[in-house]
Amino acid sequence: AEAREAYGGHLARRDALARTVRELGGSPRPAEAAYALPFEVRGPADAERLAAEIEDRVAGAYSDLVRAADGRLRREAADALSAAALRAARWRGVGVAFPGLTERGERAGTS
C-alpha cells in the first residue's frame, strides 16, 4: 500500500513538472517504456532496498533542481526532495546525512 501511494505521488509530481517544463517553453522527455533494475529483486527485502534506491535517485534529481531553480519551483523541488528522503529512510530504516547528495558524497570519499 505504501509503495502504491508513493507511486501515485511520483506520477502527480511528474505530471506537474512536465506542465512546468511546457510553461517554460521546453519539451518534457517522455518516460521510458521500461527500466533496467540495478539488481535482481528476489523477495521483500530486495523490494524494500529497490524502493530506497529509487527514492535516493529521485532525491538526487530534485536536489539538482533545487540548485538550478528559484522561487516557487525551487520550493516545490525542495518539498519533493524532502518527501523522497523520508520515503527512502522508511524503506531503508535509516536516513542519510545529505539526501540527494549520497552518490556525490561517496565519490568524494574515494577521490
Side-chain angles (χ1 to χ4, degrees):
E2 187 174 348
R4 277 192 290 280
E5 183 179 325
Y7 181 65
H10 285 298
L11 292 178
R13 284 192 191 274
R14 178 206 63 195
D15 294 346
L17 190 55
R19 279 190 302 275
T20 300
V21 168
R22 283 191 296 277
E23 288 168 2
L24 293 171
S27 296
R29 186 173 167 191
E32 299 291 328
Y35 298 91
L37 297 179
F39 52 84
E40 190 172 347
V41 177
R42 294 181 177 205
D46 290 338
E48 288 179 0
R49 193 175 94 187
L50 177 61
E53 172 82 16
I54 290 168
E55 296 296 354
D56 286 340
R57 291 179 183 195
V58 167
Y62 279 114
S63 175
D64 291 343
L65 185 54
V66 167
R67 283 194 308 279
D70 56 15
R72 178 187 60 81
L73 184 56
R74 185 174 195 192
R75 178 73 245 160
E76 290 173 6
D79 289 344
L81 167 58
S82 177
L86 288 172
R87 285 188 302 268
R90 279 198 307 272
W91 288 117
R92 186 180 297 108
V94 64
V96 296
F98 298 101
L101 301 177
T102 305
E103 69 285 351
R104 293 176 185 102
E106 288 171 358
R107 274 196 309 248
T110 59
S111 311

XYZ file of all heavy atoms in Angstrom:
825
model
N 0.831 -1.196 0.000
C 0.000 0.000 0.000
C 0.878 1.263 0.000
O 0.578 2.226 -0.701
C -0.938 -0.008 1.206
N 1.958 1.224 0.771
C 2.850 2.383 0.832
C 3.525 2.625 -0.520
O 3.666 3.764 -0.962
C 3.902 2.193 1.917
C 4.749 3.415 2.157
C 5.691 3.282 3.340
O 5.545 2.341 4.133
O 6.590 4.127 3.452
N 3.925 1.547 -1.175
C 4.564 1.677 -2.484
C 3.580 2.234 -3.508
O 3.938 3.091 -4.319
C 5.109 0.331 -2.949
N 2.331 1.772 -3.478
C 1.313 2.287 -4.410
C 1.053 3.778 -4.166
O 0.922 4.553 -5.115
C 0.017 1.486 -4.285
C 0.015 0.200 -5.097
C -1.368 -0.413 -5.176
N -1.837 -0.973 -3.924
C -1.491 -2.153 -3.431
N -0.655 -2.905 -4.097
N -1.974 -2.591 -2.298
N 0.996 4.172 -2.901
C 0.784 5.577 -2.567
C 1.956 6.434 -3.057
O 1.762 7.500 -3.636
C 0.617 5.742 -1.062
C 0.331 7.168 -0.641
C 0.156 7.285 0.858
O -0.388 6.352 1.479
O 0.573 8.317 1.401
N 3.183 5.959 -2.840
C 4.365 6.693 -3.298
C 4.370 6.801 -4.819
O 4.672 7.860 -5.378
C 5.643 6.007 -2.813
N 4.010 5.722 -5.495
C 3.961 5.727 -6.956
C 2.971 6.774 -7.459
O 3.275 7.549 -8.374
C 3.595 4.332 -7.472
C 3.541 4.229 -8.979
C 4.683 4.392 -9.746
C 2.339 3.981 -9.620
C 4.632 4.303 -11.136
C 2.278 3.884 -11.007
C 3.431 4.043 -11.756
O 3.368 3.965 -13.127
N 1.800 6.829 -6.838
C 0.816 7.838 -7.216
C 1.354 9.247 -7.015
O 1.147 10.129 -7.857
N 2.064 9.459 -5.926
C 2.676 10.761 -5.671
C 3.729 11.104 -6.705
O 3.821 12.253 -7.165
N 4.529 10.119 -7.078
C 5.552 10.340 -8.114
C 4.903 10.714 -9.448
O 5.381 11.612 -10.146
C 6.429 9.104 -8.299
C 7.413 8.887 -7.212
N 8.413 9.789 -6.917
C 7.571 7.866 -6.342
C 9.135 9.335 -5.907
N 8.645 8.170 -5.545
N 3.824 10.027 -9.812
C 3.137 10.344 -11.065
C 2.577 11.763 -11.042
O 2.688 12.496 -12.033
C 2.020 9.337 -11.331
C 2.455 7.909 -11.657
C 1.227 7.018 -11.854
C 3.360 7.862 -12.867
N 1.999 12.152 -9.914
C 1.438 13.507 -9.805
C 2.542 14.554 -9.924
O 2.388 15.557 -10.640
C 0.687 13.654 -8.482
N 3.677 14.337 -9.254
C 4.796 15.288 -9.351
C 5.366 15.310 -10.770
O 5.722 16.362 -11.282
C 5.886 14.947 -8.345
C 5.532 15.338 -6.932
C 6.749 15.249 -6.034
N 6.425 15.359 -4.646
C 6.301 16.504 -3.985
N 6.470 17.639 -4.616
N 6.005 16.515 -2.700
N 5.454 14.138 -11.393
C 5.952 14.074 -12.772
C 5.072 14.906 -13.692
O 5.556 15.689 -14.508
C 5.985 12.618 -13.241
C 6.449 12.477 -14.696
C 5.935 11.229 -15.370
N 4.477 11.240 -15.445
C 3.752 10.172 -15.718
N 4.308 9.013 -15.906
N 2.436 10.257 -15.781
N 3.759 14.735 -13.559
C 2.829 15.472 -14.410
C 2.926 16.977 -14.166
O 2.909 17.771 -15.115
C 1.401 14.977 -14.193
C 1.197 13.539 -14.658
O 2.080 13.012 -15.378
O 0.170 12.948 -14.290
N 3.041 17.377 -12.910
C 3.171 18.807 -12.582
C 4.471 19.368 -13.142
O 4.506 20.474 -13.686
C 3.100 19.004 -11.068
N 5.544 18.597 -13.018
C 6.835 19.054 -13.537
C 6.807 19.152 -15.064
O 7.343 20.103 -15.643
C 7.944 18.111 -13.077
C 9.371 18.559 -13.316
C 9.628 19.934 -12.703
C 10.332 17.537 -12.727
N 6.140 18.208 -15.716
C 6.008 18.265 -17.180
C 5.242 19.523 -17.594
O 5.618 20.190 -18.571
C 5.305 17.010 -17.702
N 4.181 19.870 -16.851
C 3.443 21.099 -17.146
C 4.349 22.321 -16.994
O 4.334 23.230 -17.829
C 2.227 21.234 -16.223
C 1.022 20.435 -16.648
C -0.220 20.788 -15.853
N -0.061 20.594 -14.415
C -0.247 19.432 -13.775
N -0.588 18.351 -14.457
N -0.106 19.353 -12.480
N 5.149 22.330 -15.943
C 6.062 23.453 -15.713
C 7.073 23.572 -16.836
O 7.354 24.675 -17.320
C 6.782 23.303 -14.358
O 5.811 23.273 -13.315
C 7.761 24.427 -14.112
N 7.623 22.453 -17.288
C 8.582 22.479 -18.397
C 7.924 23.067 -19.638
O 8.506 23.912 -20.326
C 9.143 21.064 -18.663
C 9.904 21.003 -19.977
C 10.026 20.611 -17.508
N 6.688 22.637 -19.928
C 5.973 23.180 -21.090
C 5.701 24.673 -20.922
O 5.855 25.447 -21.866
C 4.673 22.408 -21.329
C 4.890 21.050 -21.988
C 3.598 20.420 -22.458
N 2.673 20.105 -21.384
C 2.713 19.004 -20.632
N 3.642 18.097 -20.847
N 1.831 18.809 -19.687
N 5.315 25.098 -19.717
C 5.063 26.521 -19.452
C 6.322 27.357 -19.658
O 6.243 28.525 -20.034
C 4.542 26.713 -18.025
C 3.123 26.217 -17.823
C 2.738 26.141 -16.349
O 3.547 26.503 -15.467
O 1.600 25.694 -16.079
N 7.479 26.764 -19.405
C 8.754 27.469 -19.580
C 9.276 27.374 -21.015
O 10.371 27.833 -21.310
C 9.795 26.927 -18.595
C 9.505 27.218 -17.118
C 10.473 26.452 -16.218
C 9.574 28.716 -16.841
N 8.485 26.750 -21.903
C 8.849 26.690 -23.315
C 9.630 25.447 -23.709
O 10.081 25.342 -24.844
N 9.769 24.502 -22.801
C 10.516 23.285 -23.107
C 9.608 22.143 -23.511
O 8.382 22.274 -23.544
N 10.237 21.035 -23.821
C 9.517 19.805 -24.153
C 9.940 18.736 -23.166
O 11.088 18.286 -23.205
C 9.856 19.343 -25.568
O 9.426 20.288 -26.505
N 9.033 18.327 -22.288
C 9.410 17.283 -21.326
C 9.721 15.974 -22.036
O 9.090 15.628 -23.034
C 8.191 17.152 -20.427
C 7.083 17.846 -21.123
C 7.673 18.763 -22.138
N 10.712 15.295 -21.526
C 11.099 13.997 -22.085
C 10.096 12.948 -21.605
O 9.831 12.856 -20.405
C 12.499 13.657 -21.599
C 13.057 12.425 -22.203
C 14.504 12.265 -21.781
N 14.948 10.935 -22.105
C 16.068 10.424 -21.687
N 16.858 11.119 -20.905
N 16.412 9.217 -22.032
N 9.550 12.156 -22.514
C 8.588 11.133 -22.082
C 9.279 10.039 -21.263
O 10.480 9.792 -21.418
C 8.031 10.572 -23.384
C 9.007 10.958 -24.437
C 9.738 12.170 -23.957
N 8.513 9.408 -20.408
C 9.033 8.305 -19.606
C 9.423 7.143 -20.511
O 8.825 6.935 -21.574
C 7.981 7.843 -18.603
N 10.430 6.423 -20.100
C 10.840 5.223 -20.833
C 9.750 4.157 -20.701
O 9.004 4.146 -19.718
C 12.151 4.678 -20.260
C 13.323 5.637 -20.352
C 13.802 5.859 -21.774
O 13.706 4.930 -22.588
O 14.264 6.973 -22.058
N 9.680 3.261 -21.643
C 8.697 2.175 -21.589
C 9.040 1.179 -20.483
O 8.154 0.567 -19.883
C 8.633 1.460 -22.931
N 10.327 1.029 -20.202
C 10.773 0.103 -19.160
C 12.153 0.551 -18.692
O 12.837 1.315 -19.392
C 10.840 -1.323 -19.697
N 12.534 0.096 -17.539
C 13.831 0.447 -16.962
C 14.549 -0.817 -16.499
O 13.911 -1.752 -16.009
C 13.661 1.375 -15.753
C 13.012 2.685 -16.095
C 11.632 2.845 -16.019
C 13.768 3.762 -16.512
C 11.035 4.058 -16.342
C 13.186 4.977 -16.841
C 11.818 5.108 -16.745
O 11.238 6.298 -17.070
N 15.859 -0.832 -16.627
C 16.656 -1.945 -16.109
C 16.817 -1.748 -14.608
O 17.154 -0.653 -14.146
C 18.026 -1.968 -16.783
N 16.549 -2.779 -13.853
C 16.714 -2.698 -12.402
C 18.194 -2.761 -12.045
O 18.970 -3.442 -12.718
C 15.965 -3.841 -11.720
C 14.445 -3.846 -11.910
C 13.826 -5.039 -11.196
C 13.827 -2.551 -11.423
N 18.600 -2.076 -10.971
C 20.013 -2.068 -10.596
C 20.492 -3.394 -9.997
O 21.691 -3.628 -9.901
C 20.109 -0.929 -9.573
C 18.735 -0.781 -9.031
C 17.804 -1.180 -10.151
N 19.546 -4.244 -9.609
C 19.874 -5.567 -9.071
C 18.616 -6.430 -9.145
O 17.518 -5.909 -9.338
C 20.394 -5.481 -7.625
C 19.505 -4.700 -6.696
C 18.421 -5.296 -6.068
C 19.745 -3.358 -6.461
C 17.590 -4.571 -5.232
C 18.923 -2.615 -5.628
C 17.840 -3.230 -5.004
N 18.800 -7.716 -9.001
C 17.677 -8.648 -9.075
C 16.852 -8.572 -7.791
O 17.398 -8.556 -6.694
C 18.188 -10.075 -9.282
C 17.098 -11.056 -9.601
C 17.629 -12.425 -9.985
O 18.842 -12.549 -10.240
O 16.826 -13.365 -10.011
N 15.539 -8.536 -7.939
C 14.634 -8.493 -6.798
C 14.089 -9.905 -6.590
O 13.326 -10.405 -7.415
C 13.492 -7.482 -7.028
C 12.513 -7.499 -5.858
C 14.057 -6.091 -7.247
N 14.504 -10.532 -5.488
C 14.121 -11.922 -5.232
C 13.144 -12.076 -4.076
O 12.651 -13.171 -3.833
C 15.360 -12.756 -4.946
C 16.269 -12.871 -6.125
C 17.452 -13.721 -5.816
N 18.272 -13.856 -7.003
C 19.076 -14.854 -7.224
N 19.201 -15.812 -6.338
N 19.778 -14.906 -8.325
N 12.909 -11.014 -3.336
C 11.999 -11.122 -2.198
C 11.717 -9.763 -1.599
O 12.156 -8.727 -2.117
N 10.964 -9.749 -0.499
C 10.568 -8.489 0.130
C 11.741 -7.588 0.535
O 11.674 -6.373 0.353
C 9.776 -8.929 1.360
C 9.277 -10.289 1.021
C 10.340 -10.906 0.165
N 12.812 -8.154 1.036
C 13.963 -7.331 1.439
C 14.582 -6.638 0.221
O 14.951 -5.455 0.293
C 15.009 -8.175 2.166
N 14.690 -7.352 -0.891
C 15.208 -6.746 -2.121
C 14.261 -5.661 -2.631
O 14.705 -4.621 -3.124
C 15.384 -7.805 -3.217
C 16.521 -8.773 -2.945
O 17.435 -8.424 -2.166
O 16.482 -9.877 -3.523
N 12.955 -5.893 -2.512
C 11.977 -4.902 -2.968
C 12.099 -3.622 -2.137
O 12.038 -2.514 -2.682
C 10.566 -5.471 -2.875
N 12.299 -3.759 -0.839
C 12.475 -2.582 0.017
C 13.772 -1.863 -0.323
O 13.821 -0.629 -0.362
C 12.444 -2.983 1.482
C 11.059 -3.374 1.944
C 11.001 -3.804 3.392
O 12.057 -3.805 4.082
O 9.898 -4.133 3.846
N 14.828 -2.612 -0.573
C 16.105 -1.997 -0.966
C 15.955 -1.256 -2.295
O 16.482 -0.161 -2.476
C 17.179 -3.082 -1.068
C 18.582 -2.520 -1.151
C 19.587 -3.625 -1.121
N 19.868 -3.942 -2.522
C 20.591 -4.944 -2.938
N 21.111 -5.793 -2.116
N 20.798 -5.133 -4.229
N 15.204 -1.848 -3.233
C 14.953 -1.191 -4.515
C 14.144 0.089 -4.320
O 14.451 1.117 -4.921
C 14.221 -2.129 -5.475
C 13.839 -1.522 -6.829
C 15.076 -1.064 -7.600
C 13.017 -2.527 -7.637
N 13.131 0.041 -3.478
C 12.326 1.237 -3.213
C 13.195 2.357 -2.650
O 13.083 3.513 -3.068
C 11.189 0.907 -2.252
N 14.101 2.021 -1.728
C 15.012 3.027 -1.169
C 15.934 3.580 -2.249
O 16.175 4.792 -2.318
C 15.821 2.438 -0.016
N 16.427 2.720 -3.119
C 17.306 3.134 -4.220
C 16.580 4.090 -5.171
O 17.131 5.108 -5.590
C 17.793 1.901 -4.983
C 18.556 2.190 -6.249
C 20.018 2.508 -6.019
O 20.527 2.225 -4.927
O 20.629 3.065 -6.951
N 15.346 3.764 -5.494
C 14.561 4.628 -6.380
C 14.371 5.994 -5.732
O 14.552 7.032 -6.373
C 13.207 3.973 -6.716
C 13.430 2.769 -7.641
C 12.242 4.988 -7.350
C 12.214 1.886 -7.810
N 14.009 6.004 -4.458
C 13.801 7.279 -3.766
C 15.103 8.076 -3.682
O 15.089 9.301 -3.804
C 13.206 7.058 -2.378
C 11.824 6.451 -2.382
C 10.741 7.319 -3.017
O 10.990 8.486 -3.379
O 9.620 6.814 -3.175
N 16.230 7.393 -3.488
C 17.526 8.096 -3.488
C 17.775 8.769 -4.833
O 18.252 9.906 -4.894
C 18.678 7.128 -3.193
C 18.746 6.707 -1.746
O 18.182 7.401 -0.868
O 19.391 5.668 -1.480
N 17.470 8.067 -5.914
C 17.677 8.629 -7.252
C 16.736 9.804 -7.506
O 17.129 10.810 -8.102
C 17.509 7.550 -8.310
C 18.629 6.526 -8.269
C 18.441 5.459 -9.305
N 19.478 4.444 -9.198
C 19.725 3.570 -10.139
N 19.035 3.566 -11.265
N 20.676 2.668 -9.969
N 15.496 9.678 -7.049
C 14.543 10.780 -7.174
C 15.044 11.982 -6.378
O 15.013 13.125 -6.858
C 13.134 10.332 -6.702
C 12.205 11.517 -6.510
C 12.536 9.330 -7.679
N 15.525 11.734 -5.165
C 16.058 12.819 -4.332
C 17.224 13.507 -5.042
O 17.350 14.734 -4.994
C 16.492 12.284 -2.971
N 18.064 12.742 -5.710
C 19.185 13.323 -6.447
C 18.719 14.245 -7.559
O 19.265 15.339 -7.743
N 17.690 13.838 -8.283
C 17.163 14.679 -9.360
C 16.565 15.965 -8.797
O 16.803 17.062 -9.325
C 16.113 13.910 -10.161
N 15.810 15.847 -7.720
C 15.219 17.051 -7.132
C 16.274 17.931 -6.474
O 16.140 19.153 -6.448
C 14.097 16.694 -6.160
C 12.811 16.405 -6.885
C 12.251 15.134 -6.883
C 12.149 17.404 -7.602
C 11.074 14.866 -7.569
C 10.987 17.141 -8.294
C 10.444 15.879 -8.265
O 9.290 15.623 -8.951
N 17.348 17.336 -5.975
C 18.452 18.128 -5.428
C 19.056 19.011 -6.523
O 19.345 20.193 -6.293
C 19.522 17.197 -4.844
O 20.644 17.909 -4.423
N 19.226 18.440 -7.708
C 19.730 19.222 -8.844
C 18.784 20.371 -9.180
O 19.222 21.488 -9.467
C 19.914 18.330 -10.078
C 21.053 17.341 -9.933
O 21.909 17.523 -9.038
O 21.084 16.363 -10.712
N 17.483 20.106 -9.126
C 16.505 21.140 -9.442
C 16.499 22.232 -8.367
O 16.364 23.410 -8.685
C 15.109 20.534 -9.605
C 14.006 21.489 -10.048
C 14.372 22.222 -11.338
C 12.694 20.734 -10.204
N 16.674 21.860 -7.109
C 16.755 22.864 -6.044
C 17.897 23.831 -6.332
O 17.751 25.049 -6.198
C 16.938 22.205 -4.658
C 17.336 23.231 -3.603
C 15.668 21.475 -4.229
N 19.047 23.293 -6.747
C 20.203 24.149 -7.043
C 19.972 25.038 -8.262
O 20.476 26.158 -8.318
C 21.449 23.292 -7.273
C 22.048 22.759 -6.000
C 23.457 22.205 -6.203
N 23.575 21.231 -7.279
C 23.260 19.950 -7.175
N 22.806 19.471 -6.047
N 23.414 19.141 -8.190
N 19.213 24.542 -9.240
C 19.065 25.264 -10.504
C 17.888 26.243 -10.524
O 17.885 27.171 -11.319
C 18.900 24.258 -11.644
N 16.901 26.027 -9.671
C 15.662 26.803 -9.742
C 15.633 27.908 -8.691
O 16.505 28.001 -7.835
C 14.467 25.867 -9.557
N 14.588 28.714 -8.780
C 14.344 29.703 -7.741
C 12.832 29.857 -7.576
O 12.046 29.271 -8.313
C 15.010 31.052 -8.056
C 14.593 31.639 -9.392
O 13.581 31.183 -9.971
O 15.271 32.554 -9.862
N 12.438 30.609 -6.582
C 11.025 30.882 -6.353
C 10.195 29.642 -6.088
O 10.619 28.718 -5.403
N 8.999 29.637 -6.669
C 8.035 28.558 -6.453
C 8.585 27.198 -6.870
O 8.428 26.206 -6.163
C 6.748 28.858 -7.240
C 5.677 27.774 -7.143
C 4.496 28.038 -8.083
N 4.856 28.108 -9.487
C 5.037 27.029 -10.275
N 4.895 25.818 -9.794
N 5.360 27.182 -11.547
N 9.268 27.152 -8.000
C 9.805 25.884 -8.493
C 10.849 25.325 -7.538
O 10.896 24.126 -7.278
C 10.387 26.054 -9.896
C 10.895 24.791 -10.576
C 9.818 23.712 -10.647
C 11.409 25.114 -11.971
N 11.682 26.197 -6.980
C 12.691 25.733 -6.024
C 12.022 25.172 -4.768
O 12.439 24.147 -4.246
C 13.631 26.871 -5.659
C 14.762 26.416 -4.780
C 15.760 27.505 -4.544
N 16.963 26.914 -3.999
C 17.932 27.598 -3.469
N 17.870 28.922 -3.431
N 18.985 26.990 -2.986
N 10.978 25.834 -4.282
C 10.254 25.362 -3.095
C 9.620 24.004 -3.378
O 9.666 23.099 -2.545
C 9.195 26.394 -2.706
C 8.341 26.035 -1.524
C 9.135 26.152 -0.237
N 9.249 24.822 0.340
C 10.142 24.445 1.222
N 11.029 25.275 1.674
N 10.181 23.229 1.689
N 8.997 23.854 -4.544
C 8.386 22.572 -4.906
C 9.437 21.475 -5.008
O 9.204 20.343 -4.566
C 7.616 22.707 -6.214
C 6.356 23.542 -6.078
C 5.676 23.824 -7.406
O 6.111 23.277 -8.448
O 4.706 24.600 -7.405
N 10.588 21.788 -5.574
C 11.673 20.803 -5.675
C 12.185 20.425 -4.288
O 12.466 19.251 -4.017
C 12.806 21.349 -6.537
N 12.304 21.408 -3.396
C 12.757 21.121 -2.026
C 11.745 20.237 -1.301
O 12.126 19.309 -0.571
C 12.986 22.424 -1.261
N 10.465 20.500 -1.504
C 9.430 19.653 -0.900
C 9.509 18.224 -1.428
O 9.390 17.255 -0.676
C 8.036 20.232 -1.173
C 7.762 21.510 -0.391
O 8.494 21.807 0.582
O 6.808 22.218 -0.773
N 9.716 18.095 -2.742
C 9.820 16.765 -3.350
C 11.074 16.045 -2.868
O 11.037 14.835 -2.605
C 9.825 16.877 -4.875
N 12.178 16.759 -2.733
C 13.419 16.183 -2.209
C 13.196 15.665 -0.799
O 13.568 14.534 -0.465
C 14.530 17.226 -2.237
C 15.814 16.924 -1.467
C 16.474 15.651 -1.942
C 16.760 18.106 -1.578
N 12.571 16.467 0.035
C 12.299 16.070 1.414
C 11.401 14.836 1.475
O 11.663 13.898 2.237
C 11.641 17.241 2.153
O 11.306 16.890 3.462
N 10.352 14.818 0.665
C 9.430 13.678 0.650
C 10.143 12.402 0.203
O 9.958 11.332 0.795
C 8.241 13.976 -0.259
N 10.980 12.498 -0.827
C 11.723 11.324 -1.301
C 12.693 10.832 -0.239
O 12.841 9.623 -0.023
C 12.466 11.648 -2.600
N 13.351 11.755 0.455
C 14.304 11.374 1.508
C 13.584 10.666 2.654
O 14.098 9.680 3.201
C 15.040 12.607 2.015
N 12.407 11.147 3.012
C 11.644 10.492 4.085
C 11.203 9.089 3.673
O 11.292 8.150 4.462
C 10.431 11.341 4.461
C 10.741 12.622 5.222
C 9.488 13.477 5.361
C 11.326 12.303 6.590
N 10.743 8.953 2.428
C 10.342 7.611 1.964
C 11.547 6.677 1.922
O 11.457 5.520 2.339
C 9.674 7.705 0.591
C 8.255 8.244 0.637
C 7.558 8.129 -0.712
N 8.267 8.829 -1.763
C 8.024 10.091 -2.118
N 7.089 10.792 -1.500
N 8.708 10.650 -3.095
N 12.683 7.155 1.444
C 13.885 6.317 1.404
C 14.276 5.878 2.800
O 14.637 4.713 3.026
C 15.045 7.072 0.740
N 14.202 6.789 3.756
C 14.550 6.443 5.146
C 13.591 5.391 5.699
O 14.016 4.474 6.409
C 14.536 7.694 6.016
N 12.306 5.505 5.360
C 11.355 4.488 5.828
C 11.674 3.126 5.220
O 11.644 2.112 5.899
C 9.928 4.903 5.490
C 9.349 5.895 6.476
C 7.830 5.984 6.406
N 7.292 6.244 5.091
C 7.091 7.447 4.571
N 7.410 8.523 5.245
N 6.572 7.570 3.363
N 11.985 3.101 3.918
C 12.286 1.830 3.264
C 13.595 1.241 3.788
O 13.714 0.038 3.966
C 12.380 1.997 1.749
C 11.061 2.234 1.086
C 10.685 3.342 0.404
C 9.940 1.342 1.029
N 9.392 3.204 -0.068
C 8.921 1.979 0.299
C 9.709 0.062 1.530
C 7.684 1.383 0.055
C 8.481 -0.526 1.275
C 7.491 0.130 0.551
N 14.590 2.096 4.013
C 15.913 1.641 4.412
C 16.002 1.400 5.920
O 16.841 0.648 6.388
C 16.950 2.690 3.983
C 18.375 2.300 4.192
C 19.362 3.371 3.762
N 19.269 3.640 2.338
C 18.742 4.740 1.801
N 18.283 5.710 2.552
N 18.697 4.890 0.504
N 15.192 2.125 6.675
C 15.247 2.020 8.126
C 16.157 3.061 8.753
O 16.266 3.136 9.970
N 16.809 3.871 7.930
C 17.703 4.923 8.412
C 17.841 5.977 7.316
O 17.762 5.656 6.137
C 19.085 4.348 8.801
C 19.811 3.763 7.607
C 19.937 5.360 9.520
N 18.024 7.215 7.729
C 18.203 8.291 6.766
C 19.664 8.492 6.418
O 20.545 7.815 6.956
N 19.918 9.415 5.517
C 21.288 9.774 5.148
C 21.504 11.240 5.495
O 20.556 12.022 5.571
C 21.577 9.521 3.646
C 21.474 8.046 3.308
C 20.644 10.326 2.767
N 22.751 11.617 5.694
C 23.075 12.972 6.140
C 22.642 14.040 5.145
O 22.101 15.065 5.533
C 24.570 13.082 6.413
N 22.893 13.826 3.863
C 22.569 14.815 2.843
C 21.765 14.158 1.729
O 22.325 13.778 0.702
C 23.843 15.460 2.286
C 24.617 16.210 3.326
C 25.734 15.642 3.910
C 24.215 17.467 3.733
C 26.439 16.324 4.886
C 24.907 18.157 4.702
C 26.025 17.589 5.296
N 20.442 14.023 1.920
C 19.623 13.373 0.891
C 19.790 14.069 -0.454
O 19.863 15.290 -0.534
C 18.189 13.563 1.411
C 18.336 13.858 2.855
C 19.658 14.529 3.029
N 19.874 13.252 -1.489
C 20.056 13.786 -2.829
C 21.502 13.975 -3.202
O 21.828 14.194 -4.353
N 22.397 13.878 -2.222
C 23.824 14.057 -2.482
C 24.619 12.810 -2.134
O 25.836 12.833 -2.145
C 24.361 15.248 -1.672
C 23.689 16.579 -1.963
C 24.249 17.658 -1.052
C 23.870 16.972 -3.406
N 23.954 11.712 -1.840
C 24.613 10.489 -1.402
C 25.693 10.038 -2.371
O 26.827 9.791 -1.977
C 23.583 9.357 -1.215
O 22.588 9.821 -0.317
C 24.225 8.112 -0.668
N 25.361 9.932 -3.654
C 26.338 9.433 -4.621
C 27.502 10.399 -4.761
O 28.628 9.990 -4.971
C 25.690 9.157 -5.980
C 25.230 10.390 -6.738
C 23.952 11.043 -6.220
O 23.293 10.471 -5.354
O 23.626 12.150 -6.677
N 27.261 11.682 -4.637
C 28.349 12.653 -4.719
C 29.261 12.510 -3.508
O 30.459 12.602 -3.627
C 27.778 14.052 -4.825
C 27.049 14.277 -6.123
C 26.397 15.652 -6.153
N 25.600 15.811 -7.337
C 24.293 15.706 -7.377
N 23.620 15.440 -6.307
N 23.653 15.868 -8.511
N 28.687 12.283 -2.347
C 29.467 12.097 -1.129
C 30.324 10.847 -1.185
O 31.466 10.837 -0.742
N 29.778 9.778 -1.761
C 30.543 8.531 -1.885
C 31.718 8.709 -2.827
O 32.804 8.224 -2.569
C 29.633 7.404 -2.374
C 28.649 6.945 -1.318
C 27.609 6.000 -1.873
O 27.597 5.716 -3.085
O 26.785 5.521 -1.060
N 31.543 9.431 -3.932
C 32.635 9.680 -4.870
C 33.711 10.532 -4.218
O 34.884 10.301 -4.406
C 32.115 10.373 -6.131
C 31.602 9.419 -7.162
C 31.466 10.113 -8.494
N 30.718 11.344 -8.370
C 29.512 11.537 -8.888
N 28.928 10.601 -9.565
N 28.911 12.698 -8.739
N 33.308 11.552 -3.463
C 34.269 12.435 -2.820
C 35.123 11.669 -1.822
O 36.310 11.936 -1.678
C 33.553 13.587 -2.126
N 34.534 10.690 -1.158
C 35.281 9.906 -0.180
C 36.291 8.984 -0.807
O 37.248 8.570 -0.158
N 36.120 8.667 -2.089
C 37.055 7.750 -2.753
C 38.076 8.474 -3.592
O 38.934 7.850 -4.184
C 36.278 6.750 -3.645
O 35.537 7.479 -4.614
C 35.362 5.862 -2.808
N 37.994 9.790 -3.690
C 38.945 10.537 -4.531
C 40.229 10.795 -3.787
O 40.312 10.884 -2.630
C 38.369 11.888 -4.944
O 37.092 11.774 -5.452
